Short mmCIF file of all heavy atoms in Angstrom, two decimals:
data_model
loop_
_atom_site.label_atom_id
_atom_site.label_comp_id
_atom_site.label_asym_id
_atom_site.label_seq_id
_atom_site.Cartn_x
_atom_site.Cartn_y
_atom_site.Cartn_z
N ASP U 1 -32.33 -51.92 -44.27
CA ASP U 1 -31.70 -50.95 -43.38
C ASP U 1 -31.11 -51.63 -42.13
O ASP U 1 -29.97 -51.30 -41.70
CB ASP U 1 -32.76 -49.88 -42.89
CG ASP U 1 -33.16 -48.99 -44.01
OD1 ASP U 1 -32.42 -48.92 -45.05
OD2 ASP U 1 -34.23 -48.31 -43.90
N PHE U 2 -31.85 -52.58 -41.59
CA PHE U 2 -31.39 -53.26 -40.38
C PHE U 2 -30.10 -54.04 -40.69
O PHE U 2 -29.12 -53.97 -39.96
CB PHE U 2 -32.45 -54.25 -39.89
CG PHE U 2 -31.98 -55.17 -38.77
CD1 PHE U 2 -31.90 -54.67 -37.48
CD2 PHE U 2 -31.61 -56.49 -39.06
CE1 PHE U 2 -31.42 -55.52 -36.47
CE2 PHE U 2 -31.15 -57.30 -38.01
CZ PHE U 2 -31.05 -56.81 -36.73
N LEU U 3 -30.13 -54.75 -41.81
CA LEU U 3 -28.93 -55.54 -42.20
C LEU U 3 -27.73 -54.65 -42.48
O LEU U 3 -26.59 -54.97 -42.18
CB LEU U 3 -29.25 -56.42 -43.41
CG LEU U 3 -30.25 -57.56 -43.19
CD1 LEU U 3 -30.55 -58.25 -44.49
CD2 LEU U 3 -29.73 -58.52 -42.14
N PHE U 4 -27.99 -53.46 -43.11
CA PHE U 4 -26.90 -52.53 -43.39
C PHE U 4 -26.25 -52.04 -42.12
O PHE U 4 -25.02 -52.11 -41.96
CB PHE U 4 -27.47 -51.33 -44.20
CG PHE U 4 -26.51 -50.21 -44.35
CD1 PHE U 4 -25.46 -50.28 -45.30
CD2 PHE U 4 -26.54 -49.10 -43.54
CE1 PHE U 4 -24.55 -49.28 -45.46
CE2 PHE U 4 -25.63 -48.06 -43.66
CZ PHE U 4 -24.65 -48.16 -44.61
N TRP U 5 -27.11 -51.61 -41.15
CA TRP U 5 -26.52 -51.07 -39.92
C TRP U 5 -25.91 -52.17 -39.06
O TRP U 5 -25.01 -51.92 -38.31
CB TRP U 5 -27.59 -50.26 -39.16
CG TRP U 5 -27.88 -48.96 -39.83
CD1 TRP U 5 -29.02 -48.60 -40.43
CD2 TRP U 5 -26.98 -47.91 -40.00
NE1 TRP U 5 -28.93 -47.36 -40.97
CE2 TRP U 5 -27.69 -46.89 -40.70
CE3 TRP U 5 -25.68 -47.63 -39.61
CZ2 TRP U 5 -27.09 -45.67 -41.06
CZ3 TRP U 5 -25.08 -46.42 -39.92
CH2 TRP U 5 -25.79 -45.44 -40.64
N GLU U 6 -26.51 -53.38 -39.14
CA GLU U 6 -25.91 -54.54 -38.41
C GLU U 6 -24.54 -54.82 -38.99
O GLU U 6 -23.56 -55.06 -38.20
CB GLU U 6 -26.81 -55.74 -38.54
CG GLU U 6 -26.27 -56.96 -37.78
CD GLU U 6 -27.14 -58.18 -37.99
OE1 GLU U 6 -27.48 -58.43 -39.14
OE2 GLU U 6 -27.39 -58.90 -36.99
N ARG U 7 -24.39 -54.73 -40.32
CA ARG U 7 -23.11 -54.94 -40.94
C ARG U 7 -22.14 -53.86 -40.51
O ARG U 7 -20.94 -54.16 -40.24
CB ARG U 7 -23.30 -54.99 -42.45
CG ARG U 7 -22.04 -55.31 -43.20
CD ARG U 7 -22.31 -55.19 -44.69
NE ARG U 7 -21.07 -55.45 -45.45
CZ ARG U 7 -20.84 -54.93 -46.69
NH1 ARG U 7 -21.79 -54.17 -47.23
NH2 ARG U 7 -19.74 -55.22 -47.33
N MET U 8 -22.63 -52.63 -40.51
CA MET U 8 -21.72 -51.52 -40.09
C MET U 8 -21.29 -51.66 -38.69
O MET U 8 -20.15 -51.34 -38.28
CB MET U 8 -22.44 -50.17 -40.32
CG MET U 8 -22.62 -49.81 -41.79
SD MET U 8 -21.02 -49.66 -42.63
CE MET U 8 -21.56 -49.28 -44.31
N ALA U 9 -22.23 -52.09 -37.80
CA ALA U 9 -21.94 -52.24 -36.40
C ALA U 9 -20.86 -53.30 -36.14
O ALA U 9 -20.01 -53.18 -35.27
CB ALA U 9 -23.21 -52.52 -35.58
N SER U 10 -20.94 -54.37 -36.92
CA SER U 10 -20.00 -55.46 -36.78
C SER U 10 -18.67 -55.19 -37.47
O SER U 10 -17.67 -55.85 -37.26
CB SER U 10 -20.61 -56.78 -37.28
OG SER U 10 -20.97 -56.67 -38.67
N ASN U 11 -18.72 -54.23 -38.41
CA ASN U 11 -17.51 -53.84 -39.18
C ASN U 11 -17.34 -52.31 -39.17
O ASN U 11 -17.62 -51.64 -40.15
CB ASN U 11 -17.58 -54.35 -40.62
CG ASN U 11 -17.67 -55.84 -40.70
OD1 ASN U 11 -16.66 -56.52 -40.65
ND2 ASN U 11 -18.91 -56.36 -40.86
N PRO U 12 -16.97 -51.74 -38.03
CA PRO U 12 -16.87 -50.29 -37.92
C PRO U 12 -15.93 -49.65 -38.92
O PRO U 12 -16.11 -48.49 -39.27
CB PRO U 12 -16.39 -50.06 -36.46
CG PRO U 12 -15.78 -51.40 -36.04
CD PRO U 12 -16.59 -52.42 -36.79
N GLU U 13 -14.97 -50.44 -39.40
CA GLU U 13 -14.03 -49.91 -40.40
C GLU U 13 -14.79 -49.57 -41.69
O GLU U 13 -14.39 -48.63 -42.42
CB GLU U 13 -12.89 -50.87 -40.65
CG GLU U 13 -13.29 -52.18 -41.35
CD GLU U 13 -13.83 -53.22 -40.39
OE1 GLU U 13 -13.92 -52.89 -39.15
OE2 GLU U 13 -14.06 -54.37 -40.78
N LEU U 14 -15.88 -50.33 -41.98
CA LEU U 14 -16.68 -50.02 -43.22
C LEU U 14 -17.38 -48.69 -43.03
O LEU U 14 -17.48 -47.91 -43.96
CB LEU U 14 -17.66 -51.15 -43.46
CG LEU U 14 -17.09 -52.48 -43.90
CD1 LEU U 14 -18.22 -53.48 -44.08
CD2 LEU U 14 -16.30 -52.35 -45.19
N LEU U 15 -17.95 -48.47 -41.84
CA LEU U 15 -18.65 -47.25 -41.59
C LEU U 15 -17.70 -46.07 -41.66
O LEU U 15 -17.98 -45.06 -42.26
CB LEU U 15 -19.30 -47.26 -40.18
CG LEU U 15 -20.03 -45.98 -39.73
CD1 LEU U 15 -21.20 -45.70 -40.69
CD2 LEU U 15 -20.58 -46.17 -38.34
N PHE U 16 -16.52 -46.22 -41.10
CA PHE U 16 -15.48 -45.16 -41.15
C PHE U 16 -15.08 -44.91 -42.61
O PHE U 16 -14.93 -43.77 -42.99
CB PHE U 16 -14.28 -45.57 -40.33
CG PHE U 16 -13.13 -44.63 -40.41
CD1 PHE U 16 -13.16 -43.43 -39.71
CD2 PHE U 16 -12.02 -44.90 -41.21
CE1 PHE U 16 -12.14 -42.51 -39.78
CE2 PHE U 16 -10.97 -44.01 -41.32
CZ PHE U 16 -11.01 -42.80 -40.54
N ALA U 17 -14.93 -45.96 -43.38
CA ALA U 17 -14.53 -45.79 -44.79
C ALA U 17 -15.61 -45.02 -45.57
O ALA U 17 -15.26 -44.17 -46.40
CB ALA U 17 -14.28 -47.15 -45.43
N GLN U 18 -16.84 -45.34 -45.29
CA GLN U 18 -17.92 -44.69 -46.04
C GLN U 18 -17.95 -43.18 -45.65
O GLN U 18 -18.14 -42.32 -46.52
CB GLN U 18 -19.26 -45.32 -45.73
CG GLN U 18 -20.41 -44.60 -46.46
CD GLN U 18 -21.62 -45.52 -46.64
OE1 GLN U 18 -21.54 -46.69 -46.53
NE2 GLN U 18 -22.73 -44.90 -46.90
N VAL U 19 -17.88 -42.90 -44.37
CA VAL U 19 -17.88 -41.52 -43.93
C VAL U 19 -16.72 -40.76 -44.51
O VAL U 19 -16.82 -39.62 -44.97
CB VAL U 19 -17.87 -41.44 -42.39
CG1 VAL U 19 -17.66 -39.97 -41.92
CG2 VAL U 19 -19.14 -41.99 -41.80
N LEU U 20 -15.54 -41.40 -44.50
CA LEU U 20 -14.35 -40.80 -45.07
C LEU U 20 -14.55 -40.52 -46.53
O LEU U 20 -14.16 -39.43 -47.03
CB LEU U 20 -13.14 -41.72 -44.83
CG LEU U 20 -11.82 -41.20 -45.30
CD1 LEU U 20 -11.40 -39.93 -44.49
CD2 LEU U 20 -10.74 -42.24 -45.12
N GLN U 21 -15.14 -41.47 -47.27
CA GLN U 21 -15.35 -41.31 -48.67
C GLN U 21 -16.26 -40.10 -48.94
O GLN U 21 -16.05 -39.31 -49.86
CB GLN U 21 -15.92 -42.56 -49.30
CG GLN U 21 -16.15 -42.50 -50.79
CD GLN U 21 -16.74 -43.78 -51.32
OE1 GLN U 21 -17.30 -44.61 -50.63
NE2 GLN U 21 -16.54 -43.99 -52.65
N GLU U 22 -17.32 -40.00 -48.12
CA GLU U 22 -18.27 -38.88 -48.32
C GLU U 22 -17.62 -37.56 -47.99
O GLU U 22 -17.81 -36.55 -48.67
CB GLU U 22 -19.54 -39.09 -47.44
CG GLU U 22 -20.38 -40.27 -47.93
CD GLU U 22 -21.60 -40.48 -47.02
OE1 GLU U 22 -21.66 -39.78 -45.98
OE2 GLU U 22 -22.41 -41.35 -47.36
N ASN U 23 -16.75 -37.56 -46.97
CA ASN U 23 -16.04 -36.31 -46.61
C ASN U 23 -15.05 -35.89 -47.71
O ASN U 23 -14.94 -34.73 -48.01
CB ASN U 23 -15.31 -36.48 -45.31
CG ASN U 23 -16.23 -36.53 -44.09
OD1 ASN U 23 -17.37 -36.03 -44.19
ND2 ASN U 23 -15.81 -37.10 -43.01
N GLU U 24 -14.38 -36.89 -48.27
CA GLU U 24 -13.42 -36.60 -49.34
C GLU U 24 -14.15 -36.07 -50.59
O GLU U 24 -13.69 -35.17 -51.28
CB GLU U 24 -12.62 -37.87 -49.71
CG GLU U 24 -11.65 -38.25 -48.65
CD GLU U 24 -10.63 -37.16 -48.36
OE1 GLU U 24 -10.09 -36.53 -49.28
OE2 GLU U 24 -10.37 -36.91 -47.13
N LEU U 25 -15.34 -36.64 -50.85
CA LEU U 25 -16.13 -36.18 -51.99
C LEU U 25 -16.59 -34.76 -51.78
O LEU U 25 -16.58 -33.94 -52.70
CB LEU U 25 -17.33 -37.10 -52.19
CG LEU U 25 -18.25 -36.74 -53.37
CD1 LEU U 25 -17.45 -36.89 -54.70
CD2 LEU U 25 -19.44 -37.69 -53.42
N ALA U 26 -16.95 -34.44 -50.53
CA ALA U 26 -17.38 -33.08 -50.21
C ALA U 26 -16.27 -32.07 -50.44
O ALA U 26 -16.51 -30.94 -50.87
CB ALA U 26 -17.91 -32.97 -48.79
N LYS U 27 -15.03 -32.54 -50.15
CA LYS U 27 -13.89 -31.61 -50.33
C LYS U 27 -13.59 -31.31 -51.79
O LYS U 27 -13.03 -30.29 -52.12
CB LYS U 27 -12.62 -32.21 -49.71
CG LYS U 27 -12.67 -32.33 -48.17
CD LYS U 27 -11.39 -33.01 -47.65
CE LYS U 27 -11.46 -33.15 -46.15
NZ LYS U 27 -10.24 -33.81 -45.64
N LEU U 28 -14.02 -32.23 -52.66
CA LEU U 28 -13.80 -32.06 -54.08
C LEU U 28 -14.77 -31.06 -54.75
O LEU U 28 -14.52 -30.57 -55.80
CB LEU U 28 -13.86 -33.39 -54.82
CG LEU U 28 -12.79 -34.42 -54.49
CD1 LEU U 28 -13.06 -35.72 -55.22
CD2 LEU U 28 -11.43 -33.89 -54.87
N LYS U 29 -15.88 -30.85 -54.08
CA LYS U 29 -16.90 -29.97 -54.65
C LYS U 29 -16.48 -28.52 -54.49
O LYS U 29 -15.86 -28.13 -53.49
CB LYS U 29 -18.23 -30.19 -53.95
CG LYS U 29 -18.84 -31.55 -54.25
CD LYS U 29 -20.19 -31.74 -53.59
CE LYS U 29 -20.80 -33.11 -53.96
NZ LYS U 29 -22.11 -33.32 -53.30
N PRO U 30 -16.80 -27.66 -55.46
CA PRO U 30 -17.57 -27.99 -56.66
C PRO U 30 -16.74 -28.78 -57.67
O PRO U 30 -15.53 -28.57 -57.78
CB PRO U 30 -17.92 -26.61 -57.20
CG PRO U 30 -16.80 -25.73 -56.73
CD PRO U 30 -16.44 -26.24 -55.38
N ILE U 31 -17.41 -29.71 -58.36
CA ILE U 31 -16.75 -30.55 -59.30
C ILE U 31 -17.05 -30.11 -60.71
O ILE U 31 -18.17 -29.87 -61.08
CB ILE U 31 -17.24 -32.05 -59.09
CG1 ILE U 31 -16.88 -32.51 -57.71
CG2 ILE U 31 -16.59 -32.94 -60.18
CD1 ILE U 31 -17.49 -33.85 -57.35
N ARG U 32 -15.97 -29.96 -61.51
CA ARG U 32 -16.12 -29.48 -62.87
C ARG U 32 -16.84 -30.51 -63.73
O ARG U 32 -16.47 -31.69 -63.76
CB ARG U 32 -14.76 -29.15 -63.47
CG ARG U 32 -14.72 -28.78 -64.90
CD ARG U 32 -15.23 -27.38 -65.11
NE ARG U 32 -14.89 -26.89 -66.46
CZ ARG U 32 -15.69 -27.03 -67.51
NH1 ARG U 32 -16.89 -27.64 -67.41
NH2 ARG U 32 -15.33 -26.54 -68.68
N ASP U 33 -17.88 -30.09 -64.39
CA ASP U 33 -18.59 -30.91 -65.34
C ASP U 33 -18.05 -30.63 -66.75
O ASP U 33 -18.37 -29.63 -67.33
CB ASP U 33 -20.12 -30.58 -65.28
CG ASP U 33 -20.93 -31.45 -66.23
OD1 ASP U 33 -20.35 -32.27 -66.98
OD2 ASP U 33 -22.18 -31.32 -66.23
N HIS U 34 -17.22 -31.54 -67.22
CA HIS U 34 -16.53 -31.30 -68.47
C HIS U 34 -17.37 -31.52 -69.69
O HIS U 34 -16.89 -31.34 -70.80
CB HIS U 34 -15.26 -32.18 -68.53
CG HIS U 34 -14.20 -31.76 -67.59
ND1 HIS U 34 -13.43 -30.66 -67.81
CD2 HIS U 34 -13.83 -32.27 -66.38
CE1 HIS U 34 -12.55 -30.53 -66.81
NE2 HIS U 34 -12.82 -31.48 -65.89
N ARG U 35 -18.63 -31.89 -69.44
CA ARG U 35 -19.58 -31.89 -70.61
C ARG U 35 -19.90 -30.44 -71.02
O ARG U 35 -20.34 -30.21 -72.14
CB ARG U 35 -20.85 -32.62 -70.23
CG ARG U 35 -20.64 -34.15 -69.96
CD ARG U 35 -21.90 -34.76 -69.41
NE ARG U 35 -22.28 -34.15 -68.16
CZ ARG U 35 -23.37 -34.52 -67.48
NH1 ARG U 35 -24.20 -35.42 -67.96
NH2 ARG U 35 -23.67 -33.92 -66.32
N VAL U 36 -19.71 -29.51 -70.11
CA VAL U 36 -19.94 -28.08 -70.39
C VAL U 36 -18.66 -27.51 -70.97
O VAL U 36 -17.60 -27.58 -70.33
CB VAL U 36 -20.38 -27.31 -69.13
CG1 VAL U 36 -20.53 -25.84 -69.44
CG2 VAL U 36 -21.63 -27.89 -68.52
#
């Protein structure tokens, strides 16, 4: 955990990218499960 947040602190663009990715994923929900 420490190393992850140290990495994020030293590379804020990574933190922004992850938050952006999670936000974009949330916008896609609900996601169609084509196995059904």
Side-chain angles (χ1 to χ4, degrees):
D1 289 344
F2 172 78
L3 293 175
F4 170 80
W5 287 112
E6 183 184 43
R7 184 184 176 207
M8 289 299 179
S10 60
N11 297 278
E13 66 277 5
L14 292 178
L15 178 60
F16 176 76
Q18 179 158 342
V19 171
L20 183 63
Q21 183 179 20
E22 292 178 354
N23 287 337
E24 290 301 316
L25 182 62
K27 291 178 182 178
L28 294 175
K29 293 183 178 179
I31 299 173
R32 176 74 166 90
D33 182 355
H34 289 284
R35 294 172 299 177
V36 179

